[in-house]
Amino acid sequence: MIKRILVFAKRFLMPHIGWLIASLLTGLLTAAASGLGVPLLIKFVFPLVFYSGVGEKPLLMEYVPSLESMDPGTLLMLACFSMPALFAVRGFAMWANHVVVNVLGLRIIESLRRTVFCQIQQLPISYLEGQRKGDLVSRIVADTGNVQNILSHVANDLVKQPITCLCAFSAFFYLLFFTGSGKMAFVLLFIALAAWPIITFGKKISDRAKRAQAELGELNTVVQQNLETQREVRAYALEERQIADFDSSSAEYKRNLMKLVKYQRLLIPIMEIVTAVALSFLLVYGKQSGMGLEDFMALAAAMFFTFDSMKRAGQAYNRINEAQGSLIRLEEVLNEPNSISDPAEPKTLPARVKGDICFDNVSFSYVAGHPVLRDINVRIPAGQVVGLVGPSGAGKTTFANLIPRFYEVTEGAVTVDGYDVREVTMHDLREQMALVGQQALLFSGSIKENIALGRPSATEEQILAAASSARVTSFLQSQPQGIDTELGQGGSGLSGGQRQRVAIARAFVKDAPILILDEATASLDAESEKDIQQELDTLAQGRTTLIVAHRFSTLRHAHRILVFDHGRIVGDGPHEELYKTCPLYKELFDRQGAV
Ligand code: ADP
């Protein structure tokens, strides 16, 4: 725990060192006003109020002789107003501490949340594919929110209470030994006793909190999947099953939270009992040893503040343990090694590559020992349009995904214009490519904004030209605000064909030398497919184009076709040649029976 907090502090606390110092100073002032101020006020200042000039002189008068010559009325006023003055200092210091500590907490959480989000942008696609999206969302939003919520409640106490405890304990120690009540030192044992439940519950709370947050992630996953698959849920009447899944996740989350709640508040009664017993002992021994009322009151106040601040610090510690559950989950994402990263000294690609692609002895496995591509040696010269065909699962998409370095080759090398894709930055590499997938993924925003994503610097004319080339313009009249029509999440509001046209317009505006079409028309009906095919053919002109195809009709303009089978290329050539020489190709082609 300490190591985790130190690592966390170095990474997220040090950039806000000014706020940290301010929170420590205001915390110190608050703590000194409570822990030292109140007991010492009782011990030194109150006796001045009751001193009538006869009998034993108050201690403070001995330390500050000028007080004796002061007018009794003024002395009384001074003594009486020291109390509100002390509480005014304490009150404003507490307020300032609250503000400063919360600003610090909010700043830390903002950078924590941002760091996790940035990390997700960097992590390999293979890692993200292995994660449940709902759980990742839960980590970024709910776990950081949980840490923030806890920090804002306890951050004050984290700084203030340990210092108050130390101050009150010093006052207690001073009063005990320097005022002659040293033999009552045994009450210190109670302090050790009080520390025990704080430590024991801390670990339990951290474990329960982590489990509860994991269950919340599970619950998020169920909801997210349900929302994403509403059509299927209704078409297959899966509502009851989905509700049962939801109930089970929700109940599990509740069960873990209930366990957590049990431990969270258990500390309070235990600490209060320990405090009451310690005070009773103090009372009995104080009475037996003939202690005066003011000494007893001062000792009792110091003891009360010691235990009270210990209790509050303990509660804060428990809540921190609760936050630790979330921190561990965030750390799991932050510490995930990034197996695909930019080289330390990247080579610079030309502003526009020619588009010459080469696979040199490439093998690739998603799971070690199960190669999906084996010994691939192929060169695709710049400007060539190449179709990738083969049975489902043969490795076509994987082959195409190695070019933008979505995955890292297990053996061999992929080069673009002679540059190994690992030698240049991923940003520069991907600048040279446009991708149109099976499902056109659009973002919320206008149609125009969605097209402009292809090249943020594109001018209005370039966007309109791209829209026209992709024939987006043909359906703009039916949109309420034409090209400025706002789309819902995922491009809802447009048909599949219209969405695909927007995605193609995005590729047009990007105007990249390499184009990857991964079953770009597979989800469309025959009519839309025919229409869109024309736009794709125009888009492919003059670019190195890879077309992952399951319909041969999409390969009319391909110069060359690569036939994949079980991760190997078993045919390579133009259609007429393959039809004669490659039995698998002939079989696949005849099965579809059309060009
Ligand atoms: P194709 O595009 O020819 O249908 P893919 O390249 O998508 O084939 O898949 C090739 C093989 O790799 C298949 O056996 C598939 O199950 C496996 N595969 C694809 N994607 C992943 C992944 N993200 N993780 C693990 N295995 C995968």
Side-chain angles (χ1 to χ4, degrees):
M1 160 119 171
I2 300 291
K3 187 168 162 247
R4 173 167 298 117
I5 288 184
L6 286 181
V7 171
F8 178 82
K10 184 165 168 256
R11 190 160 178 188
F12 295 103
L13 206 57
M14 291 327 267
H16 312 288
I17 187 78
W19 289 96
L20 179 68
I21 292 172
S23 68
L24 284 174
L25 289 180
T26 49
L28 194 67
L29 192 57
T30 317
S34 316
L36 278 177
V38 176
L40 297 188
L41 199 74
I42 296 174
K43 169 78 186 156
F44 292 107
V45 182
F46 284 9
L48 291 177
V49 178
F50 298 100
Y51 180 59
S52 55
V54 285
E56 200 185 328
K57 252 197 273 176
L59 266 179
L60 196 60
M61 231 170 227
E62 304 221 344
Y63 296 150
V64 191
S66 58
L67 288 175
E68 204 171 348
S69 53
M70 201 178 266
D71 163 50
T74 318
L75 189 64
L76 182 65
M77 286 289 280
L78 267 182
C80 290
F81 277 102
S82 61
M83 181 91 141
L86 177 70
F87 275 85
V89 171
R90 182 174 176 268
F92 281 109
M94 268 165 102
W95 169 78
N97 185 242
H98 172 81
V99 173
V100 171
V101 165
N102 275 290
V103 170
L104 178 66
L106 288 172
R107 283 173 159 246
I108 291 173
I109 294 305
E110 187 190 27
S111 53
L112 175 64
R113 186 180 284 139
R114 189 174 183 282
T115 310
V116 178
F117 189 72
C118 292
Q119 168 78 344
I120 287 179
Q121 311 311 303
Q122 307 291 327
L123 282 172
I125 289 185
S126 53
Y127 167 80
L128 299 175
E129 281 170 347
Q131 300 293 312
R132 284 160 309 150
K133 277 192 225 142
D135 187 57
L136 277 180
V137 173
S138 190
R139 286 177 202 238
I140 301 172
V141 181
D143 281 293
T144 49
N146 190 34
V147 177
Q148 176 178 338
N149 181 23
I150 292 173
L151 268 191
S152 65
H153 278 97
V154 303
N156 263 348
D157 283 344
L158 276 184
V159 180
K160 195 174 63 187
Q161 300 305 343
I163 308 178
T164 308
C165 186
L166 216 66
C167 290
F169 181 69
S170 312
F172 185 66
F173 199 74
Y174 167 80
L175 293 166
L176 212 54
F177 287 95
F178 294 93
T179 60
S181 332
K183 61 183 172 195
M184 290 197 305
F186 72 90
V187 287
L188 295 178
L189 278 179
F190 285 97
I191 293 177
L193 195 66
W196 170 77
I198 298 178
I199 295 163
T200 318
F201 297 149
K203 174 86 184 74
K204 288 195 188 298
I205 285 175
S206 166
D207 290 348
R208 302 290 186 279
K210 185 175 177 233
R211 261 185 260 166
Q213 287 303 116
E215 286 306 330
L216 181 62
E218 182 62 42
L219 187 63
N220 267 345
T221 304
V222 172
V223 174
Q224 178 157 14
Q225 274 178 7
N226 173 271
L227 293 177
E228 282 173 0
T229 54
Q230 269 301 312
R231 276 172 201 281
E232 286 74 9
V233 168
R234 306 215 179 175
Y236 292 95
L238 298 175
E239 291 90 343
E240 292 297 323
R241 233 172 95 180
Q242 291 280 304
I243 293 171
D245 283 354
F246 179 86
D247 283 345
S248 131
S249 272
S250 181
E252 196 56 22
Y253 176 50
K254 182 190 72 188
R255 212 167 58 81
N256 276 294
L257 270 189
M258 276 165 31
K259 281 189 191 165
L260 185 62
V261 168
K262 198 171 73 187
Y263 285 106
Q264 269 169 345
R265 296 290 159 138
L266 196 55
L267 192 62
I268 301 176
I270 294 180
M271 288 294 287
E272 285 181 355
I273 293 168
V274 173
T275 313
V277 173
L279 274 174
S280 308
F281 269 98
L282 194 68
L283 193 61
V284 171
Y285 279 86
K287 168 86 178 133
Q288 283 176 355
S289 59
M291 186 189 278
L293 183 65
E294 88 227 19
D295 277 343
F296 174 76
M297 288 297 286
L299 259 177
M303 188 164 192
F304 171 79
F305 276 110
T306 306
F307 279 103
D308 187 64
S309 52
M310 242 178 122
K311 178 179 81 183
R312 288 169 197 270
Q315 265 178 288
Y317 173 76
N318 279 349
R319 302 260 7 228
I320 286 297
N321 271 301
E322 206 182 314
Q324 209 199 187
S326 286
L327 279 182
I328 293 173
R329 280 166 50 78
L330 290 168
E331 221 177 52
E332 283 167 0
V333 180
L334 288 176
N335 291 349
E336 181 63 34
N338 194 351
S339 53
I340 303 189
S341 53
D342 284 333
E345 288 174 13
K347 290 189 177 165
T348 318
L349 272 180
R352 186 178 178 87
V353 297
K354 291 200 283 301
D356 194 281
I357 299 168
C358 199
F359 278 65
D360 192 7
N361 274 324
V362 170
S363 295
F364 174 78
S365 327
Y366 288 103
V367 181
H370 296 89
V372 166
L373 292 175
R374 303 156 211 247
D375 306 322
I376 305 282
N377 281 293
V378 67
R379 178 169 170 247
I380 303 171
Q384 196 169 59
V385 177
V386 179
L388 313 180
V389 300
S392 183
K396 307 177 292 290
T397 300
T398 308
F399 176 88
N401 280 337
L402 291 180
I403 303 169
R405 209 181 161 205
F406 288 158
Y407 304 105
E408 195 85 297
V409 292
T410 317
E411 275 172 46
V414 176
T415 62
V416 171
D417 280 19
Y419 291 88
D420 188 320
V421 293
R422 291 166 294 193
E423 290 172 349
V424 297
T425 66
M426 284 176 274
H427 176 266
D428 286 358
L429 178 71
R430 292 168 189 169
E431 280 278 294
Q432 308 288 339
M433 304 174 191
L435 224 130
V436 182
Q438 182 170 352
Q439 302 286 345
L441 292 178
L442 304 187
F443 296 83
S444 30
S446 69
I447 297 180
K448 189 157 95 186
E449 283 163 355
N450 263 289
I451 298 176
L453 284 176
R455 181 152 42 118
S457 62
T459 61
E460 180 91 12
E461 288 74 38
Q462 286 167 330
I463 295 173
L464 292 176
S468 160
S469 306
R471 288 216 273 148
V472 168
T473 28
S474 66
F475 65 84
L476 284 182
Q477 293 91 327
S478 60
Q479 299 300 312
Q481 269 122 27
I483 200 160
D484 292 313
T485 305
E486 291 288 320
L487 302 177
Q489 199 188 3
S492 60
L494 296 183
S495 72
Q498 290 170 339
R499 277 204 287 267
Q500 202 62 317
R501 285 218 168 97
V502 176
I504 293 170
R506 194 189 280 163
F508 264 111
V509 88
K510 184 160 186 184
D511 188 26
I514 299 171
L515 176 65
I516 299 173
L517 306 175
D518 189 354
E519 306 203 346
T521 55
S523 62
L524 303 179
D525 55 78
E527 196 55 35
S528 312
E529 182 187 353
K530 220 166 120 204
D531 280 354
I532 296 236
Q533 194 53 50
Q534 289 174 6
E535 278 90 77
L536 289 176
D537 291 342
T538 319
L539 179 62
Q541 275 166 26
R543 305 174 207 274
T544 312
T545 305
L546 280 94
I547 307 173
V548 179
H550 82 291
R551 290 188 202 159
F552 285 79
S553 54
T554 56
L555 299 177
R556 277 179 312 185
H557 295 278
H559 302 123
R560 172 185 177 195
I561 291 164
L562 301 177
V563 187
F564 284 76
D565 190 24
H566 292 100
R568 291 183 199 278
I569 295 180
V570 295
D572 179 356
H575 164 73
E576 295 75 20
E577 183 188 316
L578 285 175
Y579 193 74
K580 285 186 212 133
T581 58
C582 178
L584 176 62
Y585 182 77
K586 184 173 185 311
E587 185 196 329
L588 291 170
F589 186 84
D590 287 343
R591 213 185 288 160
Q592 271 187 26
V595 174

